[in-house]
Amino acid sequence: MGFKQAVPDSSLFIRGKNRSLVALLVYVDDIVLASESLEIIQDVKKQLSTSFLLKDLGPLRYFLGLEVARHKKGIAVCQRKYAIELLEDIGFTNAKPVFSPTVPSHKLSKNEGEFLQDSSQYRRIVVQLSQFLDKPTDIHLQAAHRVLRYIKAASGQGLFFPSTSNLHLKAYSDSDWGACVDTRRSVTGFCIFLGDALISWKSKKQPTVSKSSSEAEYRALATTSYEIQWLIYLLAEFGVVHSEAVAIYCDSKSAVAIAENPVFHERTKHIELDCHLIREKLHKGLIRLFHIPSEKQLADPFTKTHCPTSFQHYISKLGLMNLYNPACGGILRDKTR
């Protein structure tokens, strides 16, 4: 049918360009089609139906747990339906809501609390807390329950992708040095925007122990630059040429100095070579590094715990909003479930 498999994502197939461009995304037996032309979409569906038994679900509303809605100002995505079903399944429909998913200044340890006699409920809940799956304790379960209580308060929270946003990337990179009290490994966190829309984020424990906070931040910068490179490749598949250097904002002056100055050999010679690829990205003009104050670091909630007020401040800066709230336009409020 003339489609080309995208190199950055093997599940994505693209044909044509500009106004005739059509994208086909496959997940097992689910397919999403996107194009400016409804006529092109109908033609692709007709061609597919000659070889496969298809069920046309019409305009995209749900996909892999995501609730999608179109608005004259853009596209909204949330997981309210999935969140409500999760709360019902665990029995937390009537739980008291909280407005941050974690207890401020509290770091969990594998040896904290009493081991659970039945860990089945914990195993059904956790994602980030999965590092304690082998022997969860009552303290870990309390932490998981707090996450559920936050989900109840934020079930309608979602992302909005404005139709008028520009197609320029910018990123925020952060780390929490020695965050894991058991392994002393640091946590990398980043968030990447396309214009005003948040499109990529991550919070993950680093594979090795860092000798300093500067090293931990440097590793986080490297991870962020890899994601940026992938996104640039992905944009190119859609015919979007990202010619400007991507700004990465970091709150560590020393990490920025290490990336920009290869002379710091004694401080970096033990770091894996793949981390130093960030210098190559800088030299080629793919990225630019900027220092910002810690209070303006939008990736901070991906690496550290915050009180509800601080957490909500960061959430609003990241562009998350309650898509069912009339104050936000009630984008999804009147949609058929």
Side-chain angles (χ1 to χ4, degrees), residues 10-24:
S10 59
S11 298
L12 176 65
F13 298 82
I14 293 177
R15 187 183 72 187
K17 59 182 179 179
N18 301 327
R19 292 188 176 274
S20 64
L21 184 143
V22 55
L24 186 153

Side-chain angles (χ1 to χ4, degrees), residues 34-297:
S35 176
E36 284 194 38
S37 169
L38 183 60
E39 182 180 346
I40 291 177
I41 289 179
Q42 295 294 348
D43 180 62
V44 172
K45 290 193 291 188
K46 184 178 180 180
Q47 292 183 66
L48 288 172
S49 65
T50 62
S51 301
F52 304 99
L53 181 63
L54 299 181
K55 182 179 181 181
D56 188 355
L57 301 179
L60 183 64
R61 289 192 174 91
Y62 297 105
F63 186 67
L64 305 180
L66 296 174
E67 188 173 354
V68 183
R70 290 176 178 82
H71 190 269
K72 60 183 180 181
K73 294 183 179 179
I75 296 175
V77 178
C78 78
Q79 290 185 289
R80 184 173 183 268
K81 183 175 183 293
Y82 173 77
I84 292 175
E85 290 174 351
L86 174 65
L87 293 172
E88 291 175 347
D89 183 46
I90 303 298
F92 263 64
T93 304
N94 297 319
K96 183 179 179 181
V98 294
F99 297 95
S100 65
T102 55
V103 178
S105 303
H106 182 215
K107 293 185 178 181
L108 297 173
S109 169
K110 64 180 181 181
N111 298 317
E112 185 180 23
E114 299 291 331
F115 291 121
L116 298 174
Q117 296 297 319
D118 181 8
S119 60
S120 57
Q121 186 189 47
Y122 183 85
R123 294 174 185 273
R124 289 159 61 194
I125 301 173
V126 297
V127 178
Q128 179 183 357
L129 299 167
S130 61
Q131 58 186 322
F132 306 114
L133 269 180
D134 55 341
K135 290 185 178 180
T137 69
D138 57 339
I139 301 298
H140 302 147
L141 186 59
Q142 290 174 22
H145 285 170
R146 183 180 176 92
V147 173
L148 291 173
R149 291 166 61 198
Y150 169 72
I151 289 175
K152 182 179 180 182
S155 60
Q157 201 88 286
L159 292 171
F160 183 67
F161 303 94
S163 58
T164 56
S165 183
N166 64 65
L167 299 179
H168 183 65
L169 294 168
K170 65 178 178 181
Y172 294 82
S173 174
D174 192 30
S175 76
D176 187 10
W177 181 40
C180 179
V181 297
D182 296 317
T183 64
R184 306 312 301 172
R185 294 190 329 202
S186 305
V187 171
T188 286
F190 68 71
C191 55
I192 303 175
F193 293 80
L194 182 62
D196 298 323
L198 179 64
I199 62 167
S200 180
W201 59 90
K202 176 175 283 188
S203 177
K204 187 175 183 179
K205 193 185 298 184
Q206 294 181 359
T208 59
V209 177
S210 295
K211 294 175 62 178
S212 65
S213 60
S214 299
E215 181 181 329
E217 294 277 5
Y218 183 66
R219 293 180 186 276
L221 281 173
T223 301
T224 306
S225 67
Y226 304 153
E227 183 73 3
I228 288 171
Q229 180 68 83
W230 178 78
L231 288 170
I232 288 176
Y233 288 148
L234 190 61
L235 287 171
E237 294 286 349
F238 291 99
V240 178
V241 179
H242 199 285
S243 56
E244 299 180 47
V246 179
I248 303 181
Y249 297 95
C250 175
D251 57 10
S252 172
K253 291 183 179 179
S254 56
V256 172
I258 292 172
E260 294 180 338
N261 190 348
V263 175
F264 294 152
H265 179 64
E266 284 299 322
R267 297 172 61 180
T268 62
K269 63 182 181 181
H270 62 285
I271 302 177
E272 292 88 342
L273 288 177
D274 61 333
C275 291
H276 295 309
L277 286 176
I278 187 173
R279 294 171 179 168
E280 179 183 326
K281 308 300 182 187
L282 275 168
H283 179 71
K284 290 183 176 180
L286 179 77
I287 61 174
R288 292 183 64 192
L289 302 180
F290 297 93
H291 175 261
I292 57 169
S294 296
E295 60 269 18
K296 295 184 179 180
Q297 175 54 272

Side-chain angles (χ1 to χ4, degrees), residues 293-336:
S294 296
E295 60 269 18
K296 295 184 179 180
Q297 175 54 272
L298 298 189
D300 204 66
F302 293 93
T303 61
K304 306 173 186 69
T305 60
H306 287 270
C307 68
T309 302
S310 175
F311 184 77
Q312 291 299 319
H313 168 75
Y314 281 111
I315 286 296
S316 65
K317 293 296 183 181
L318 288 169
L320 274 75
M321 62 179 71
N322 189 333
L323 300 173
Y324 285 82
N325 188 342
C328 296
I331 295 170
L332 293 172
R333 186 167 38 119
D334 301 321
K335 295 294 179 181
T336 302

